[in-house]
Amino acid sequence: MKNLIHATFILFLIITSGQSYANTSDKILIVLTSHSELGNTGKKTGFWLPELTHPYYEFTNAGFTVDVASIDGGMAPLDSKAFEEADEFHDVFLKDATLMSKVMRTIPIANINAADYQAVLFSGGSGPMWDFPNNPDINRISAAIYEMNGIVSAVCHGGAALVDIKLSNGERLIKGKSVAAFTNEEEQSLGTAEIIPFLLQDKLIERGANFIIGKPWQENVVVDGRLITGQNPASAKKVAQNIIKALEQ
C-alpha cells in the first residue's frame, strides 16, 4: 500500500500543477502539519487523511474554494496508517488530481494572507502536536480571521493550534470558550500519551478552555460562536458542516 501511495503521488506530481491562492471570495483554508516523526520512536506520523478529506469535500460540494497550507509548505506528510482503516474517501482522494496536487504542493503558512479567507480549519494527525503550538503564523492567521468575524476551527490533534493564539486585546482565543479535541483517554488508547510533547486535553484546560469530553472515538463537535472544534476523526465531517452553516447565515 505504501508503494502504491508513493507512486500515485509521483504520478499526480508530474501531471498536475500547483494550487493557486489568489484572493477570491467564499474561501476556506485547511492547515496540515509538516511534522513526520513520532517523537523518538523511529516511527512516522503526519496528518490524518479523513481529517482533510471529509471537510474538504463538504466545503467544495457546498461551493467553497479551499486552499491547503502546511507549516513548511510543499509535500505534507501523510500518515499511511490511515489507509489501514476503511473510509469512503480514500479511493476518491487517490483519484482526485486537484486535491492530490494541493497536498503535494501545500502553501507555506508564512505566505498566507488571512484577509483572503472566511475560515481556517486545523487538521489533525499526531504531527500537529509538534509543529502547531506557538507557531507565529498560525497565531497571526487565526487571530486575524477571528477578529474579521471569520471562523477558527480544529479537528482532533489540530486543536494544538489553539493553545497559544492570542487576540489583539492580549486574551487567549480559547479563554472561557468551550472546545473539543483529542482526549487523554483516546491518546492513552493509542499508546502515545508518553510520546507526544503534552496531553492536548490538559493543555487546553490549562489555557482556560472549557473542555467538552465526548465518548471515545465517537462524533463530538462543539460550537462556541465562531470557534468550532471536533474531538476526533469521527467529528471531521460535522465540524465542516457547522462551518458551512455558520458561513451561510
Side-chain angles (χ1 to χ4, degrees):
M1 175 59 76
K2 289 183 180 179
N3 290 337
L4 173 61
I5 296 167
H6 178 74
T8 307
F9 264 52
I10 296 301
L11 174 63
F12 278 112
L13 183 61
I14 293 171
I15 66 175
T16 60
S17 60
Q19 62 183 310
S20 170
Y21 48 103
N23 186 12
T24 61
S25 59
D26 297 331
K27 206 168 183 187
I28 297 172
L29 179 69
I30 297 179
V31 180
L32 305 178
T33 182
S34 294
H35 188 88
S36 62
E37 302 296 325
L38 189 61
N40 297 320
T41 65
K43 298 178 180 179
K44 294 296 184 181
T45 186
F47 75 91
W48 196 250
L49 185 58
E51 293 171 21
L52 166 67
T53 55
H54 287 217
Y56 178 85
Y57 290 117
E58 288 291 319
F59 294 147
T60 55
N61 288 340
F64 290 90
T65 298
V66 181
D67 282 344
V68 181
S70 69
I71 301 304
D72 296 334
M75 179 83 79
L78 168 60
D79 190 333
S80 63
K81 293 189 296 294
F83 288 97
E84 297 172 7
E85 302 178 5
D87 186 272
E88 62 182 310
F89 289 119
H90 283 348
D91 287 341
V92 175
F93 170 71
L94 292 173
K95 296 174 182 177
D96 186 340
T98 298
L99 183 53
M100 289 278 275
S101 179
K102 289 182 178 184
V103 170
M104 291 184 291
R105 302 168 183 263
T106 63
I107 305 165
I109 196 169
N111 293 355
I112 293 294
N113 179 0
D116 291 347
Y117 301 94
Q118 294 181 296
V120 58
L121 170 63
F122 295 100
S123 185
S126 293
M129 294 297 293
W130 280 269
D131 63 359
F132 277 13
N134 201 31
N135 179 282
D137 290 303
I138 282 180
N139 299 345
R140 167 184 63 85
I141 292 163
S142 302
I145 288 175
Y146 193 80
E147 293 185 335
M148 291 186 293
N149 294 315
I151 294 167
V152 173
S153 60
V155 178
C156 200
H157 288 100
L162 305 177
V163 301
D164 293 304
I165 299 169
K166 288 186 178 180
L167 303 176
S168 59
N169 62 5
E171 293 284 350
R172 295 190 187 278
L173 171 63
I174 60 172
K175 182 179 179 181
K177 294 187 176 68
S178 294
V179 302
F182 207 57
T183 66
N184 291 355
E185 182 178 359
E186 288 167 323
E187 200 73 68
Q188 290 160 0
S189 74
L190 284 183
T192 48
E194 304 301 323
I195 298 171
I196 57 173
F198 56 87
L199 290 171
L200 185 53
Q201 174 181 331
D202 291 352
K203 183 67 71 172
L204 291 168
I205 292 171
E206 175 189 313
R207 293 292 200 251
N210 176 28
F211 194 87
I212 307 298
I213 300 176
K215 294 180 180 180
W217 306 106
Q218 301 299 307
E219 181 184 275
N220 177 34
V221 175
V222 175
V223 178
D224 191 332
R226 290 178 288 103
L227 178 63
I228 301 174
T229 51
Q231 179 172 318
N232 47 37
S235 309
K237 183 177 292 187
K238 190 173 180 181
V239 165
Q241 290 169 346
N242 277 278
I243 293 170
I244 293 167
K245 181 180 178 181
L247 291 177
E248 290 180 342
Q249 287 180 346

